[in-house]
Amino acid sequence: MDPFSSAAVAVDLVVLTIRERALHVLLVERGIEPDAGAWALPGGFVLPEEDLEAAAHRELAEETGVSAGIHLEQVRTYGMPGRDPRGRVVTVAWLALAPDLAEPAAGSDARAARWWPVSSVEHGALPLAFDHGVIFADALERARAKLEYSALASAFCPPEFTVAQLRAVYEAVWGERLDPRNFHRKITGATGFVEPTGATVRDGGRPAQVFRRGPVGQLHPPFLRPGT
């Protein structure tokens, strides 16, 4: 057997956004076998001339119409034999985050594409094709865990935001209500995590400071999820 022709390489995307204050994931309904009619993560095979990140960006643009302003990071590689009945397929999973993405358009081999509330998908509530349920769960946990110590939450925000908007991101991703005063004290008290722009906006009738992401990408000490 030629070891250089024994496997195909693909990319799969866990695309998360916040819509109506709830975390949503992009799924496509497969229009071809295997698993025709099942919901799956968007993705596809890597073209011969592409590197992995270029393939991820191409698939992302095809499914969302967005090619810039999105946080994209690699989650891990999945290569269990039998994960795809068509043959040996190794896939590299990517986590993509952006604020309030628009309605998706289905690709050529999909019947439909839509945003699903994460609460309707996690814990196997909506079975996904192939091993996409595992990939989705791994990427979701990556996003939730990184909010504890990194500036990842700002990827769900516009370039300038209020603390209340940032708190809404944490609440949507974690699925937990947070105490507003404690959150404000923690976020604004961390040196360099966010920085004021000098502007204010009306938030619920009261003026609120506007912030941008600061130069320090780590939150120390971490802001732990409730119950951890």
Side-chain angles (χ1 to χ4, degrees):
M1 178 185 297
D2 181 356
F4 296 103
S5 62
S6 59
V9 180
V11 293
D12 285 304
L13 296 160
V14 180
V15 187
L16 301 177
T17 195
I18 295 176
R19 299 166 62 85
E20 299 177 349
R21 300 182 70 87
L23 187 64
H24 284 66
V25 61
L26 177 62
L27 298 178
V28 297
E29 185 182 12
R30 289 185 55 78
I32 59 174
E33 295 293 349
D35 290 340
W39 290 92
L41 299 172
F45 291 104
V46 178
L47 300 178
E49 68 275 14
E50 288 181 315
D51 68 14
L52 295 172
E53 187 167 353
H57 278 288
R58 174 179 55 79
E59 290 289 344
L60 188 60
E62 290 175 0
E63 299 291 352
T64 68
V66 177
S67 58
I70 288 185
H71 173 89
L72 186 69
E73 67 176 74
Q74 195 174 129
V75 179
R76 56 166 289 192
T77 302
Y78 299 80
M80 181 68 69
R83 61 174 302 274
D84 189 318
R86 293 169 292 186
R88 186 69 188 273
V89 177
V90 175
T91 192
V92 180
W94 297 80
L95 174 64
L97 312 174
D100 195 26
L101 288 172
E103 291 297 330
S108 59
D109 60 351
R111 293 178 183 170
R114 59 168 284 193
W115 293 106
W116 284 82
V118 162
S119 59
S120 298
V121 182
E122 63 181 332
H123 309 307
L126 176 68
L128 301 183
F130 308 112
D131 56 353
H132 288 188
V134 174
I135 297 173
F136 164 74
D138 289 348
L140 179 61
E141 176 56 28
R142 166 78 69 87
R144 286 174 169 167
K146 288 192 72 171
L147 257 62
E148 295 183 344
Y149 61 87
S150 79
L152 185 66
S154 63
F156 288 106
C157 292
E160 296 183 351
F161 48 85
T162 65
V163 171
Q165 288 175 309
L166 188 63
R167 188 182 76 249
V169 170
Y170 276 80
E171 291 179 338
V173 176
W174 285 349
E176 300 276 357
R177 298 289 292 176
L178 301 175
D179 180 83
R181 291 186 179 182
N182 288 342
F183 182 84
H184 191 285
R185 183 170 58 251
K186 177 67 177 181
I187 295 300
T188 59
T191 302
F193 192 66
V194 296
E195 55 185 20
T197 65
T200 60
V201 295
R202 288 285 175 180
D203 186 6
R206 301 177 60 184
Q209 277 188 291
V210 177
F211 292 84
R212 65 171 67 92
R213 179 173 175 172
V216 178
Q218 298 294 313
L219 188 59
H220 183 76
F223 182 46
L224 300 180
R225 280 174 279 181
T228 59

